[in-house]
Amino acid sequence: MNAQSEYLTNHRTNDEGANGLAVGEAPQPTARPHHPAVKEEPPTQPPRLGRIVFFLFLVVAAALTIGLLPRLRERKQVAEDTRDLATPTVAVISPAPAKMTEPLVLSGELRPVIEASIYARANGYVRRWLVDLGAHVEAGQLLAELDTPEINQQLSQGQAELTQAEAAAQLAEVTAKRWKEMLQAKTVSPQEADEKVSDLALKRATVEAARANVKRLNELVGFAHVTAPFNGIITARHLDVGQLVTAGAGQELYRLAQIDKLRVFVHVPQNYARSTVVGQPAELTLPEAPDHKYDAKVVRTAGALDIATRTLLVECEVDNPNNEILAGSYGLVRLTDAHPEAALTLPASTLIFRSQGPQVAVVENNRISLRKIKIGRDFGSIIEVLSGVTAADQVVTVPSDSFADGIEVRVAEPAKTTAQNAEAAK
């Protein structure tokens, strides 16, 4: 207790001595000495306060950023989700042609590429024939000889008439020359002289006529030799020795054919006519050799349908170098590239039935366009579309009844197939 009292007494005494005041006495202001040359500076704010304010601003800004950014992001996501939910997603399909049928197979008639019936041009009897059925002949080869006695007599008569006409013309020429001389001497009249000159012209014309008749008869005598007009094979013979042959009677002596290349005639139905063009490949099969196929080619078409059958006559050519194919037979011609003109088809689920008629929803620039269509045949799940859409259009597979023109839609991506997934993995 005494020690504590002594500590307090000493402490108070030290304070009084330091301040020069008694305890409880207010201090008096001390007069500062006046220095007129020294300017007093105002008190400055400590730099710590500015740093504190800047730090607080950063804290507030960080708090605002951390709090507002998620809210803004969530609000933007909600707006996008709302817009996506408001835009319907549709699956589309393009119209496709109907499934192609099997290639067209038609019966065809095989004929030689060149064929001619040989007739007589002169009357007579068959003296001899030199080639028979199935013989190969060359162009100009002698086939048969005819005995033409009547033509020979006509030729002799014609030659005699030609000689007579030439003699008459020679006499008329001498007479006309003399009358011209007498006319110059004025011993005959001009009329008589002109008559002699005209008679000379008449005799000369008679000579030309007789000469032409002799030439014609010589050619008829030449027709007594029946020759081949081209290389080929004799497919028919209708003459024998001693047989009477009359020109112009339609009596066939030989039939000659060139069969190293054959023509095949087929009648194509109307719905295949437009797809059958020149140069199109074809295949020929024969009933006696169904396993063997011959390459053929369309070389020409009639260009018009037969009114009676509504078919197009088409000519094909097939090579026959070894004479394997017999001319005159028939075969089956397969036109591989000839197909009927198929209409576009769509699934039945794409149809929209309204008062305007059947319609489909076509997507154009992510907007719906309703189009009226004309329906063909109905195959159940598939229908034919005759008009209204093209193969390049995108048609909604299952349209909604609320669809109208201009509605914005989103096209769903088609599902990838197994092959596409494998390709993407590579």
Side-chain angles (χ1 to χ4, degrees), residues 137-200:
V137 297
E138 302 292 333
Q141 182 177 341
L142 182 63
L143 305 180
E145 289 184 358
L146 303 180
D147 188 7
T148 57
E150 293 182 358
I151 297 178
N152 294 335
Q153 293 297 325
Q154 292 176 4
L155 178 59
S156 299
Q157 181 182 355
Q159 290 175 346
E161 292 176 352
L162 175 60
T163 304
Q164 182 181 359
E166 289 176 347
Q170 186 177 4
L171 177 60
E173 182 178 1
V174 174
T175 304
K177 182 177 180 182
R178 291 176 179 175
W179 280 81
K180 286 182 180 180
E181 293 175 355
M182 288 187 293
L183 179 61
Q184 292 178 356
K186 297 182 179 181
T187 56
V188 294
S189 64
Q191 178 65 30
E192 293 175 334
D194 291 341
E195 289 178 358
K196 299 303 180 182
V197 173
S198 298
D199 184 65
L200 172 61

Side-chain angles (χ1 to χ4, degrees), residues 393-414:
D393 291 332
Q394 291 183 326
V395 181
V396 179
T397 56
V398 185
S400 174
D401 292 337
S402 61
F403 277 178
D405 285 328
I407 293 180
E408 184 179 0
V409 295
R410 183 173 55 254
V411 178
E413 295 183 0

Side-chain angles (χ1 to χ4, degrees), residues 237-297:
R237 179 182 68 85
H238 301 289
L239 78 166
D240 212 339
V241 176
Q243 180 180 344
L244 175 63
V245 176
T246 303
Q251 182 180 0
E252 184 183 61
L253 303 182
Y254 286 103
R255 185 181 304 128
L256 182 62
Q258 196 174 87
I259 61 174
D260 56 345
K261 182 178 291 186
L262 298 179
R263 297 187 295 175
V264 186
F265 293 92
V266 294
H267 295 271
V268 178
Q270 180 176 346
N271 57 336
Y272 289 86
R274 295 184 62 180
S275 61
T276 305
V277 296
V278 176
Q280 180 176 321
E283 292 181 355
L284 172 67
T285 56
L286 302 176
E288 62 271 20
D291 296 335
H292 189 75
K293 296 180 181 180
Y294 300 91
D295 294 331
K297 182 176 66 174

